[in-house]
Amino acid sequence: MWKFTLRRTLIMIPQLIVLSIIIFVLGQLMPGDALSGQGGSDVDPNRLEEIRENMGWNDPWHEQYVRWMGGVLQGDFGQSFRFKMPVTELIGQRIVNSFWLSVATLILTYLIAIPLGIVSGRYNDTWRDQLITGYTYVGFATPLFIFALVMLWLFGFQLGWFPTSGSVTPGLEPGTFDYFISKLYHLLLPALSMALITTYSTIQYLRNEIVDTKHKDFILTARAKGASERRVYNRHILRNSLLPIAAFFGFEITGLIGGSIFIENIFGYPGMGQLLVESISLRDYTVLTATTLLFGVASIVGALLSDIILSIVDPRIRIK
């Protein structure tokens, strides 16, 4: 097991290097920079060019990449030109919100998907299965940002059950019980909106696993020996069907990355996704490359976790 994990981890190293190069080069190819559009009638263009030269923005891209990567390896992503603060500090303020939003979304996703998948698989080809399958079709066909806007309009503006922006009520002291409840209250609607529309894959996968497992030889043998239907489902069908769902955990992380960009901007939730969009609109490429790199690293780590979990669940896929 440890050999497979070590080998899979070593494969990540060239992936991360290539990812960092692609992200940095794409950032360099984007038009303009943080000083673009800042030159008014009272600003000397030569002064702006002097600033670019002092910042090293006119150096060859590979020199800038080596300098940037050296700082990244030391935990220094540079200075945000627009926010006037270190990028590491800026990300530190936002990443906590994105982390808890992702945790809440994962919890809600599995709380919704596992019961529905079990019911759909156990009673396949019945009206219950058809209702749940219809829900998954709607989830597959509905864009996340459209569903999130509807949720925000209905439960935020019309019914007023949830706040429509922010991550905490202003004025509350961090560390207090009221502060914790406010943080939970603010992330519940964004997390629920993302969970409801992204559960379809887990539901369908679990349903298909249960339906497939019901027709395997060891299930027919258990029934032939006189085992009760409850025992057959709980000890044989569900146990063997739920294990592969664990491998979905890493891919859920990857899906959350893309979804959080839409959700955080729609709900005005101050996380990494909102920071990414802000950095693009403000042409703050230091923040842009840092956030994109972190999103890419999270995707690669998510794939690694999926491979490791799947190798534990099914030892046949391990590389000898």
Side-chain angles (χ1 to χ4, degrees):
M1 176 62 201
W2 66 270
K3 291 182 179 180
F4 172 82
T5 304
L6 178 61
R7 185 180 291 108
R8 186 62 182 81
T9 304
L10 291 176
I11 294 176
M12 283 181 52
I13 297 177
Q15 291 177 337
L16 293 174
I17 294 175
V18 172
L19 173 68
S20 65
I21 294 175
I22 292 175
I23 289 174
F24 188 82
V25 171
L26 290 177
Q28 293 290 307
L29 293 176
M30 294 182 69
D33 54 34
L35 294 177
S36 299
Q38 298 300 304
S41 58
D42 56 341
V43 177
D44 185 4
N46 294 327
R47 175 55 183 164
L48 296 179
E49 190 61 31
E50 181 182 347
I51 295 175
R52 291 187 178 96
E53 188 68 30
N54 294 335
M55 296 291 292
W57 294 349
N58 293 331
D59 295 343
W61 74 268
H62 55 85
E63 294 182 7
Q64 296 186 54
Y65 170 77
V66 172
R67 188 164 54 244
W68 173 70
M69 200 61 199
V72 170
L73 294 176
Q74 300 177 34
D76 180 14
F77 289 96
Q79 190 81 10
S80 170
F81 203 82
R82 294 288 189 173
F83 292 94
K84 309 298 183 183
M85 62 188 303
V87 177
T88 304
E89 182 179 341
L90 180 62
I91 290 176
Q93 296 175 356
R94 302 292 189 96
I95 199 170
V96 175
N97 288 336
S98 292
F99 171 79
W100 287 116
L101 177 61
S102 299
V103 170
T105 302
L106 282 174
I107 292 174
L108 291 173
T109 297
Y110 284 110
L111 286 178
I112 296 170
I114 291 179
L116 292 181
I118 291 174
V119 172
S120 182
R122 181 167 184 174
Y123 304 102
N124 62 299
D125 298 328
T126 64
W127 64 269
R128 282 173 283 195
D129 177 39
Q130 292 173 356
L131 283 177
I132 296 173
T133 302
Y135 162 68
T136 62
Y137 288 161
V138 172
F140 177 76
T142 305
L144 175 60
F145 65 93
I146 295 295
F147 184 76
L149 286 172
V150 172
M151 293 285 286
L152 178 63
W153 174 80
L154 179 61
F155 295 103
F157 290 104
Q158 294 298 316
L159 299 178
W161 291 356
F162 296 95
T164 57
S165 64
S167 63
V168 68
T169 302
L172 295 179
E173 183 179 352
T176 62
F177 180 75
D178 290 338
Y179 183 87
F180 170 77
I181 294 298
S182 179
K183 294 284 285 188
L184 181 63
Y185 185 47
H186 278 75
L187 68 82
L188 187 57
L189 184 59
L192 183 61
S193 300
M194 189 153 46
L196 284 173
I197 209 66
T198 58
T199 54
Y200 67 89
S201 58
T202 306
I203 294 174
Q204 283 290 345
Y205 186 78
L206 180 56
R207 174 195 180 277
N208 294 337
E209 281 290 322
I210 292 176
V211 173
D212 182 61
T213 304
K214 287 196 299 185
H215 297 92
K216 290 185 176 179
D217 291 340
F218 71 93
I219 299 298
L220 300 177
T221 302
R223 285 177 172 150
K225 289 182 177 181
S228 64
E229 195 66 17
R230 181 177 181 181
R231 179 182 177 87
V232 169
Y233 265 93
N234 293 338
R235 294 183 60 86
H236 299 288
I237 296 177
L238 287 183
R239 178 178 297 181
N240 287 276
S241 300
L242 286 174
L243 287 178
I245 295 297
F248 258 58
F249 177 76
F251 293 108
E252 292 283 359
I253 296 176
T254 304
L256 287 174
I257 293 173
S260 65
I261 298 175
F262 293 108
I263 290 294
E264 290 179 4
N265 282 278
I266 290 173
F267 286 92
Y269 191 79
M272 292 289 290
Q274 188 185 62
L275 179 62
L276 175 64
V277 174
E278 289 176 352
S279 65
I280 295 174
S281 61
L282 295 174
R283 295 180 178 177
D284 197 342
Y285 296 141
T286 309
V287 180
L288 174 61
T289 52
T291 52
T292 307
L293 179 65
L294 291 178
F295 279 139
V297 170
S299 298
I300 294 176
V301 172
L304 172 65
L305 290 176
S306 294
D307 289 345
I308 293 175
I309 294 173
L310 189 57
S311 68
I312 296 174
V313 173
D314 188 358
R316 294 173 298 177
I317 73 166
R318 298 179 192 171
I319 303 174
K320 301 297 184 181

